[in-house]
Amino acid sequence: MKEKILIFDFGSQYTQLIARRIREADVYSEILPYNADYTLDESIKGVILSGSPFSVNDENFLDFNVEKLNGKIPVLAVCYGAQLMAKKLGGSVSKSSKREYGRATLNITKPEDKVLSGLSANSQVWMSHGDTILQIPEGFELLAYTDSIPVAAFRSSTSLFTNPVYCFQFHPEVTHSVEGHLLIRNFLFDVCGCSGDWTPEHFIESTINDLKQKIGSEHVLMALSGGVDSTVAAELLHKAIGNQLHCFFLDNGLLRKNEFQSVLKSYENMGLNIQGIDSSNEFYTALNGLSDPEDKRKAIGRVFIEVFEKYAKTLPEVKWLGQGTIYPDVIESVSVHGPSVTIKSHHNVGGLPEKLHLKIIEPLRALFKDEVRRVGKALGIPAIILNRHPFPGPGLGIRILGDITPAKVKLLQEADDIFISNLRESGYYDKVWQAGAVLLPIYSVGVMGDERTYEQVVALRSVNSVDGMTAEWSRLPFDLLAKISEDIINNVRGINRVVFDISTKPPATIEWE
């Protein structure tokens, strides 16, 4: 039974960061809603209570049974979690006279404590809370304070609990807490006694064994996208069940230039049992005359399901549907306000599993995006797939503003190919999170030679991000942008103007539609 840390989520924007910091230390972690039912067993080495936008002094505050944990297992309570511990165990929490937000310096009172081992004398941390702890509970001792708050960190005394309870009124998980990673590692290894053996190799071995046991002699159907998630999931399934896995790669007519052929060849070189299906005409027919982004997405999704269903019926031996679902999808499908509230559904094939009576298998549902890439690298997946930028499911259908025609798709494919090729040749492709060209429904006047032109405008979008939730526009060199613009205008008849998008997310989104 693998060891793990449970994180109870009270709605903090930083909860996923806590999980990521733990995973970076090669320790497995799971996020649960604060009100989830759970059982403590030997696999659980410690528990973390997250922060929250709410106040412990609200009438309907997010409550938690702290008595179930106290003394039984090491606990780390962060921000709201720390205030909840203080309130429920007899301390005092009050609204601050000013919002405590931003950098602060720790004044450490117990440098000999395990969790503070190796910390600098004046370590910088990040505060983000409206309430403050005025008095710690009886049986607890102060570990640190700052110039603005009397209680920055405290813990239960050794005489009170066999297993300690640590409380931080700051966020060790964010990068602004300069030595926060050290605090988390100290909690994991020196307090909880974790071994740190959750590596890509360990994940691969245990996942393949689990897949073999779960699937047995049955067959699995999986649609591949050319992206890293579906590819890594397929490779794990392939190693577990071989040709019992049936894959298909669909050309919807909205892929990048030559992408269908190049990705299909990569899959065949990996030894996957895969079939390429060209359904571009069906998609173009469904998209004819549609300009609204949502209408286009629905049409693309509907045709994909129709093609999927048609192909699935040719394989009666299939009992499972493979998906490349990753951990952020799983987290976002559960609300901290209770299991009855869903933020979004993470299944990407509509009602097909129920309609075709297929069971779902998701080999990556425990991994974050960067972990998927680490596992993919350990599996030996080709770099052209492993390092591929994220690409939207509707493809170029949402990068062509307005109605879709084969001529517009070809125009954008050519411009996009020049953009991406230049990024690769300059070494910038692997330095940005995602890049692509957008065809605008705008015509502008230009001059080429002695002739007046009236042609379309293409926008270049390149962003840097960690997980796609927020993004900064990429600071590409002006000389590179000039070359890309020149290459597009000189080589793509129908485009006479190139612009560069310098919007951040938020308020903008990465894609234009």
Side-chain angles (χ1 to χ4, degrees):
M1 186 178 293
K2 64 186 175 186
E3 62 184 23
K4 61 186 173 186
I5 300 291
L6 288 187
I7 304 165
F8 288 96
D9 180 23
F10 292 85
S12 170
Q13 61 180 319
Y14 301 134
T15 302
Q16 284 196 35
L17 272 181
I18 299 174
R20 292 175 66 86
R21 296 293 173 258
I22 295 169
R23 301 283 188 90
E24 287 166 3
D26 293 330
V27 176
Y28 180 67
S29 61
E30 283 184 13
I31 298 174
L32 298 176
Y34 76 95
N35 54 2
D37 189 25
Y38 68 97
T39 302
L40 291 177
D41 58 46
E42 292 181 0
S43 71
I44 301 172
K45 307 295 285 185
V47 166
I48 296 180
L49 307 184
S50 84
S52 175
F54 303 103
S55 167
V56 296
N57 290 319
D58 289 343
E59 184 178 347
N60 298 314
F61 72 99
L62 306 185
D63 201 0
F64 185 83
N65 183 4
V66 299
E67 290 79 13
K68 185 174 179 178
L69 299 175
N70 285 349
K72 301 180 180 67
I73 195 167
V75 176
L76 171 59
V78 175
C79 201
Y80 179 93
Q83 294 163 357
L84 187 64
M85 278 289 184
K87 175 178 178 175
K88 300 222 23 164
L89 296 176
S92 173
V93 181
S94 179
K95 191 168 185 64
S96 302
S97 56
K98 60 182 177 64
R99 180 165 171 76
E100 291 159 350
Y101 183 86
R103 295 175 178 84
T105 300
L106 282 186
N107 297 306
I108 297 171
T109 59
K110 297 279 185 181
E112 70 278 7
D113 191 273
K114 283 182 181 181
V115 89
L116 301 174
S117 177
L119 219 65
S120 304
N122 297 298
S123 191
Q124 176 187 293
V125 295
W126 184 259
M127 298 285 183
S128 179
H129 53 93
D131 291 340
T132 194
I133 298 169
L134 299 178
Q135 182 179 346
I136 63 177
E138 187 177 345
F140 282 70
E141 52 191 2
L142 186 70
L143 296 179
Y145 63 93
T146 72
D147 292 341
S148 58
I149 62 171
V151 179
F154 60 103
R155 62 155 287 169
S156 57
S157 66
T158 53
S159 60
L160 184 64
F161 298 129
T162 307
N163 288 295
V165 175
Y166 283 92
C167 300
F168 296 162
Q169 207 175 191
F170 57 88
H171 288 275
E173 67 273 20
V174 303
T175 54
H176 295 307
S177 291
V178 176
E179 295 177 308
H181 65 287
L182 181 59
L183 289 167
I184 291 173
R185 289 183 67 90
N186 287 344
F187 177 72
L188 296 176
F189 297 114
D190 297 338
V191 178
C192 299
C194 295
S195 60
D197 64 354
W198 201 69
T199 61
E201 292 75 16
H202 180 271
F203 173 82
I204 290 167
E205 181 183 357
S206 63
T207 299
I208 290 172
N209 289 333
D210 289 346
L211 291 172
K212 285 179 179 177
Q213 291 181 10
K214 185 175 285 187
I215 297 168
S217 60
E218 295 178 332
H219 288 237
V220 179
L221 175 62
M222 188 167 185
L224 302 187
S225 67
V228 61
D229 298 339
S230 66
T231 304
V232 173
E235 182 67 0
L236 287 167
L237 284 162
H238 178 63
K239 286 190 175 296
I241 61 172
N243 282 341
Q244 292 166 234
L245 173 65
H246 304 266
C247 301
F248 72 90
F249 180 48
L250 182 67
D251 185 358
N252 58 8
L254 303 168
L255 301 175
R256 284 175 156 154
K257 183 179 179 180
N258 299 327
E259 188 170 31
F260 182 62
Q261 295 82 359
S262 63
V263 170
L264 194 57
K265 185 175 180 180
S266 295
Y267 282 146
E268 289 170 348
N269 291 339
M270 288 169 59
L272 291 177
N273 177 20
I274 185 163
Q275 181 176 342
I277 301 175
D278 183 354
S279 298
S280 52
N281 287 335
E282 289 97 312
F283 283 89
Y284 286 144
T285 299
L287 287 166
N288 186 36
L290 299 182
S291 296
D292 182 85
E294 192 60 24
D295 291 341
K296 290 191 290 185
R297 286 179 184 272
K298 287 178 180 177
I300 293 167
R302 186 185 73 250
V303 176
F304 176 82
I305 289 174
E306 289 170 358
V307 174
F308 191 108
E309 186 176 5
K310 182 179 177 181
Y311 182 62
K313 286 180 178 177
T314 68
L315 301 167
E317 67 271 30
V318 166
K319 305 299 178 187
W320 294 85
L321 174 66
Q323 289 190 281
T325 307
I326 62 175
Y327 199 41
D329 301 326
V330 177
I331 297 167
E332 288 172 2
S333 66
V334 179
S335 166
V336 300
H337 296 288
S340 63
V341 180
T342 299
I343 297 172
K344 74 172 186 180
S345 172
H346 70 270
H347 293 313
N348 53 15
V349 289
L352 271 178
E354 295 80 11
K355 191 173 183 181
L356 297 175
H357 306 291
L358 297 178
K359 297 172 282 187
I360 292 177
I361 193 83
E362 298 168 316
L364 305 179
R365 64 180 286 114
L367 299 186
F368 286 103
K369 189 78 169 186
D370 55 326
E371 294 171 325
V372 175
R373 285 199 167 96
R374 287 174 62 199
V375 168
K377 186 175 182 181
L379 286 167
I381 288 172
I384 193 170
I385 290 180
L386 199 59
N387 299 327
R388 183 175 182 257
H389 288 177
F391 189 63
L396 300 182
I398 57 168
R399 291 185 179 175
I400 297 172
L401 275 58
D403 65 319
I404 309 295
T405 66
K408 287 182 179 179
V409 171
K410 183 171 176 51
L411 198 66
L412 182 57
Q413 283 177 332
E414 296 297 332
D416 181 81
D417 184 59
I418 290 171
F419 182 24
I420 297 302
S421 296
N422 270 277
L423 289 178
R424 290 190 186 280
E425 290 166 10
S426 65
Y428 271 86
Y429 184 86
D430 292 331
K431 296 178 181 178
V432 302
W433 163 266
Q434 185 174 353
V438 182
L439 187 65
L440 307 185
I442 298 170
Y443 285 76
S444 74
V445 173
V447 178
M448 299 188 76
D450 293 327
E451 295 183 12
R452 174 186 182 274
T453 62
Y454 191 58
E455 296 177 337
Q456 283 187 265
V457 180
V458 72
L460 306 181
R461 182 69 159 145
S462 181
V463 298
N464 288 75
S465 179
V466 174
D467 52 16
M469 300 301 291
T470 61
E472 280 283 338
W473 59 276
S474 305
R475 270 59 172 179
L476 299 179
F478 290 162
D479 288 348
L480 176 58
L481 289 171
K483 183 177 183 301
I484 294 167
S485 174
E486 185 177 297
D487 288 352
I488 290 173
I489 292 172
N490 286 343
N491 292 284
V492 185
R493 181 175 289 275
I495 295 173
N496 69 353
R497 192 176 297 268
V498 176
V499 298
F500 185 54
D501 184 345
I502 59 169
S503 310
T504 60
K505 176 187 178 181
T509 54
I510 294 176
E511 299 294 342
W512 279 45
E513 288 191 340

